[in-house]
Amino acid sequence: MFVWSYGKTIFTSPATPSNEFCLSKADKEQYEKEERPESQQEILRRAAKDLPIYTTTASRAIRYCDRCQLIKPDRCHHCSACDVCVLKMDHHCPWVNNCVGFSNYKFFLLFLMYSLLYCLFVAATVLQYFIKFWTLGSVNLLISFSLSPQNELPDTHAKFHVLFLFFVAAMFFISILSLFSYHCWLVGKNRSTIETFRAPTFRNGPDKNGFSLGCSKNLREVFGDEKKYWLLPIFTSLGDGCNFPTRLVIMDPEQLAVSSQNEPAKSSVANQSFPTRPLSESQNRLLSSDCQWVETGPEEENVKSGS
């Protein structure tokens, strides 16, 4: 299982955006001719109006990759080592010489888990010999030295082999345990390593928990619905890597003020506020079991305009 997971992590190609995120030939030529950033952003906004994109740059601009010449989907980043845009990029790992992203993130987690178990198995099986060499080795060494006619030390190469094997297994176990624990925390929060250091920006501002749907749904998004496949390095992640369900659509302050004023007159329950509809609810079954939000009239239009 360790070798299988390691091989899948190495040889699985990073998933790249589909052709719908590439600019058309006319838009690309017009984008290259324009010198003003405002005009370029207007071209990108026109091209991205029908795309499932809900995040922007910190300056509220459309995320565009000049190298790959495409509009970046949510959670997509360009890897300078692979020279390609990677869907849901987590990081570029030198240990596997590959990008860890949407296509192989499950394999990477299983690789860490089976590496952890492998190091634990090696350290546990060598521990008894490690103890014997330290407790009995010194006594046997003195006896052999006193009985040796030429006062030569006996061959103790095996002792250093066992010491080396135990310490290497223990050190790798400690280091991998910290890395595996960190990525388990990321899965529970539905974040990538990049999003931990730089939160994605939605229309209400940066939000590290923008893609979090709850621990159970976050786990299913990575490992899939079938629990029998969770421990196997088989791709079972949900979604296509380009479109992700988000937590909530936060309306603009002006829209929020208008909605809060109109809500008491339109709501059937007094003093009860209803959250806005989650994004991509109709496109992702992770949100299919959520409760139905009560929205009527202008409030529904605000949600549509917000999405």
Side-chain angles (χ1 to χ4, degrees):
M1 297 301 293
F2 163 73
V3 175
W4 187 7
S5 303
Y6 188 46
K8 292 285 287 186
T9 307
I10 294 175
F11 296 109
T12 301
S13 300
T16 56
S18 57
N19 293 330
E20 63 176 334
F21 292 91
C22 298
L23 294 179
S24 62
K25 187 177 180 180
D27 290 338
K28 188 182 298 183
E29 292 178 353
Q30 186 178 1
Y31 179 84
E32 293 175 351
K33 291 180 181 178
E34 292 290 345
E35 296 181 356
R36 296 184 305 165
E38 296 80 6
S39 301
Q40 292 179 339
Q41 279 297 310
E42 185 61 31
I43 297 173
L44 295 179
R45 290 191 187 95
R46 185 172 63 250
K49 64 179 181 179
D50 296 327
L51 296 177
I53 297 176
Y54 307 108
T55 60
T56 61
T57 62
S59 59
R60 301 305 178 93
I62 300 296
R63 300 171 64 245
Y64 181 76
C65 180
D66 294 314
R67 184 75 175 178
C68 299
Q69 295 184 339
L70 53 82
I71 298 174
K72 293 181 182 180
D74 293 338
R75 317 185 80 174
C76 175
H77 299 276
H78 184 86
C79 177
S80 58
C82 298
D83 196 23
V84 68
C85 283
V86 181
L87 295 179
K88 196 186 175 182
M89 180 179 174
D90 189 88
H91 69 287
H92 184 87
C93 182
W95 291 95
V96 300
N97 193 29
N98 197 6
C99 262
V100 177
F102 175 76
S103 60
N104 61 351
Y105 189 62
K106 177 189 174 183
F107 307 147
F108 178 74
L109 290 174
L110 294 180
F111 160 63
L112 293 180
M113 185 186 71
Y114 288 122
S115 301
L116 197 66
L117 295 178
Y118 185 42
C119 292
L120 181 63
F121 171 77
V122 172
T125 53
V126 175
L127 179 61
Q128 56 177 331
Y129 304 102
F130 177 78
I131 296 175
K132 286 181 180 179
F133 276 119
W134 279 104
T135 56
L136 302 178
S138 58
V139 177
N140 295 335
L141 185 62
L142 292 175
I143 296 176
S144 300
F145 181 76
S146 60
L147 297 178
S148 179
Q150 299 178 356
N151 292 334
E152 292 180 355
L153 292 175
D155 186 14
T156 58
H157 291 301
K159 175 179 180 179
F160 297 105
H161 292 169
V162 170
L163 291 178
F164 177 79
L165 182 59
F166 178 80
F167 280 118
V168 168
M171 286 188 298
F172 269 95
F173 174 80
I174 295 174
S175 60
I176 295 175
L177 178 62
S178 61
L179 183 60
F180 180 68
S181 303
Y182 174 69
H183 278 279
C184 288
W185 179 78
L186 290 180
V187 171
K189 296 292 185 180
N190 203 344
R191 300 178 193 172
S192 65
T193 303
I194 297 177
E195 291 169 351
T196 303
F197 293 98
R198 186 171 64 250
T201 302
F202 298 86
R203 60 179 295 146
N204 64 306
D207 186 4
K208 289 185 177 182
N209 297 319
F211 295 104
S212 180
L213 306 174
C215 186
S216 176
K217 294 181 180 180
N218 295 339
L219 191 66
R220 287 167 50 200
E221 187 172 318
V222 176
F223 289 94
D225 293 325
E226 299 290 336
K227 293 183 179 181
K228 60 183 178 181
Y229 298 123
W230 281 13
L231 299 181
L232 295 177
I234 301 173
F235 184 80
T236 55
S237 300
L238 300 182
D240 56 0
C242 297
N243 186 16
F244 296 92
T246 57
R247 202 159 45 94
L248 290 175
V249 180
I250 307 299
M251 292 181 292
D252 292 336
E254 294 81 5
Q255 296 175 337
L256 189 60
V258 173
S259 300
S260 61
Q261 293 175 0
N262 298 334
E263 186 179 9
K266 295 181 179 180
S267 177
S268 59
V269 181
N271 298 327
Q272 182 176 359
S273 59
F274 296 91
T276 54
R277 187 185 302 275
L279 285 177
S280 310
E281 181 176 354
S282 61
Q283 301 176 9
N284 195 294
R285 62 178 180 273
L286 285 172
L287 298 173
S288 59
S289 61
D290 289 354
C291 59
Q292 298 295 326
W293 310 126
V294 178
E295 294 170 353
T296 55
E299 292 181 355
E300 185 175 359
E301 295 178 359
N302 287 338
V303 174
K304 292 183 179 180
S305 63
S307 61

